Every structure is written in structure tokens, then in C-alpha cells.
């Protein structure tokens, strides 16, 4: 009888220990794959000076919410063809948002589907005084410029932005179009971003599949 009681007591504590162990296991959330459409990124250009100076608020985007935001929870920000990351320090632009996070950006050359995880930390860059994490200008970063007569901005095939978000998550971005409804036939349609993205809601997990 005493042996039976001992066995029951041991079994009880084993069940409790197993239950506690299961409760302590972190919940792994599924990776999110979405498309952002027609994210407007206006700018005002002062061409009375050389070089021209752009101004206007940046459009700030959060991968966690999948929306444009107005607070400090942003991960990347758009103004015309310029893309900023919420990490590092101000570059020195007019109307530039404060960096309040620890975000960074890596520009990878590959197909969107082939990038299965974020690269090593030394591939990532942050904005800094006078230096962009993502280079600007035709064929320097994510786009090419056709010049006259069409003056078209086109995403460069095989260029993928991998983002470390402001709070330590990871995402990848494939820019599909710079024009509203992907229609580049009208100049007024410019400065509307459409892009695919994958976001990992598990902090520190570099998996992007």
C-alpha cells in the first residue's frame, strides 16, 4: 500500500512538472505573407537650388500592423524614391523622422522566394549622417530611372530589401511598382508603392518562409 502511494505521488509530481514545462514553451506564431498596395509617398521638390531639395513628411510603414502609421512604431518610411529605416541616426534631410528604434536594412540580390532567412548581421546597415542604409539614385538601390521621354521609375528585378524592424523582428520586401494601380502611363500616378512582404512576428527569428 505504501509503495502504491509513493508511485501515485511520483506520478502526480511528474504530471505537474510536464504541465509546467509545456506552459513555459514559447508560442511560435506563423510567418505572415502579404501585399501592400498604393502606399502614397509624396514629396515637394525645390528646384530653385542646385541640387534640388525635397521636403514633406515621410510615409511611415509598420510590418507588425501591415499599415501606414504616424507614431514611432514605424519600420521603414517612404518619400518619393527615398526609403529610410527606423534605426541609426538622421541623415540630414528636410522633414526627416526621428530614429527611435534599432532597425536596419540589407539589400539582397536574389529572387524574393529564394530568400528563406535574414542574412548575417554584418550585411545590415542603418541610416547615418550623410549616409543612407539604402542607397538612392538610379541603379544604386532598388530602382532604375529611364530618363526622357518617359521618366519612368522601375524596380530592379532581383533586388530584395531585408528589414530588421524597429523592435527586432525580420521582414523581406519585393517592390513591385512605383505607380498607382501599377499604371506608369500617367505622371500623376507616380509615388505610389506596391510591394510584397513577408514578416516574422517571432522576435529575433530570422526565418522568412
Amino acid at each position: 500500500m505504501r509503495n502504491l502511494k509513493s508511485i501515485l505521488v511520483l506520478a502526480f509530481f511528474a504530471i505537474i512538472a510536464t504541465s509546467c514545462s509545456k506552459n513555459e514553451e514559447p508560442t511560435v506564431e506563423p510567418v505572415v505573407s502579404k501585399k501592400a498596395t498604393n502606399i502614397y509617398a509624396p514629396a515637394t521638390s525645390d528646384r530653385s537650388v542646385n541640387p534640388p531639395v525635397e521636403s514633406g513628411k515621410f510615409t511611415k510603414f509598420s510590418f507588425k500592423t501591415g499599415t501606414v502609421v504616424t507614431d514611432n512604431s514605424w519600420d521603414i518610411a517612404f518619400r518619393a524614391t527615398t526609403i529610410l529605416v527606423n534605426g541609426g541616426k538622421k541623415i540630414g534631410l528636410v522633414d526627416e523622422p526621428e530614429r527611435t528604434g534599432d532597425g536596419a536594412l540589407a539589400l539582397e540580390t536574389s529572387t524574393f522566394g529564394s530568400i528563406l532567412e535574414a542574412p548575417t548581421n554584418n550585411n545590415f546597415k542603418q541610416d547615418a549622417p550623410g549616409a543612407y542604409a539604402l542607397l538612392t539614385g538610379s541603379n544604386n538601390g532598388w530602382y532604375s530611372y529611364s530618363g526622357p521621354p518617359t521618366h519612368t521609375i522601375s524596380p530592379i528585378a532581383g533586388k530584395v530589401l531585408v528589414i530588421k524592424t524597429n523592435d527586432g523582428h525580420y521582414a523581406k520586401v519585393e517592390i513591385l511598382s512605383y505607380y498607382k494601380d501599377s499604371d506608369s502611363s500617367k505622371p500623376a500616378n507616380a509615388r505610389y508603392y506596391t510591394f510584397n512582404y513577408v514578416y516574422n512576428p517571432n522576435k529575433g527569428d530570422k526565418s522568412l518562409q
Side-chain angles (χ1 to χ4, degrees):
M1 188 68 175
R2 184 177 297 173
N3 288 340
L4 178 59
K5 287 183 178 179
S6 298
I7 292 171
L8 290 174
V9 169
L10 290 173
F12 172 77
F13 281 110
I15 292 170
I16 294 296
T18 302
S19 176
C20 290
S21 177
K22 287 182 178 179
N23 290 336
E24 291 172 0
E25 291 178 2
T27 301
V28 178
E29 298 182 53
V31 172
V32 176
S33 180
K34 289 187 176 182
K35 182 178 182 179
T37 304
N38 292 335
I39 304 297
Y40 188 37
T44 300
S45 297
D46 180 2
R47 300 190 178 279
S48 66
V49 294
N50 190 19
V53 175
E54 286 190 340
S55 61
K57 288 185 178 181
F58 280 79
T59 300
K60 299 184 286 188
F61 186 86
S62 165
F63 292 107
K64 181 177 289 185
T65 63
T67 61
V68 171
V69 296
T70 56
D71 58 16
N72 290 329
S73 66
W74 64 282
D75 300 310
I76 56 175
F78 307 89
R79 187 175 71 190
T81 56
T82 299
I83 299 177
L84 306 180
V85 65
N86 192 0
K89 297 181 179 180
K90 280 189 172 184
I91 296 168
L93 308 176
V94 177
D95 297 324
E96 183 178 0
E98 294 287 346
R99 305 305 192 280
T100 58
D102 191 34
L105 184 149
L107 181 63
E108 298 292 289
T109 301
S110 185
T111 62
F112 188 65
S114 296
I115 296 179
L116 305 181
E117 64 178 17
T120 57
N121 292 340
N122 59 7
N123 283 38
F124 284 89
K125 296 179 180 179
Q126 294 183 318
D127 292 328
Y132 296 81
L134 180 61
L135 293 178
T136 59
S138 180
N139 295 309
N140 291 330
W142 68 268
Y143 71 91
S144 64
Y145 170 62
S146 69
T150 61
H151 301 282
T152 304
I153 299 291
S154 302
I156 300 173
K159 294 295 183 181
V160 179
L161 283 60
V162 180
I163 312 294
K164 179 184 177 185
T165 69
N166 78 92
D167 56 353
H169 297 73
Y170 289 92
K172 64 177 178 178
V173 173
E174 176 187 32
I175 299 175
L176 302 175
S177 177
Y178 183 68
Y179 296 91
K180 187 175 182 179
D181 299 329
S182 300
D183 178 7
S184 61
S185 65
K186 301 175 183 178
N189 286 346
R191 298 173 177 171
Y192 286 84
Y193 284 82
T194 293
F195 54 89
N196 290 327
Y197 71 91
V198 171
Y199 168 71
N200 191 328
N202 304 290
K203 187 172 183 177
D205 185 354
K206 291 189 173 185
S207 175
L208 294 172
Q209 60 175 322

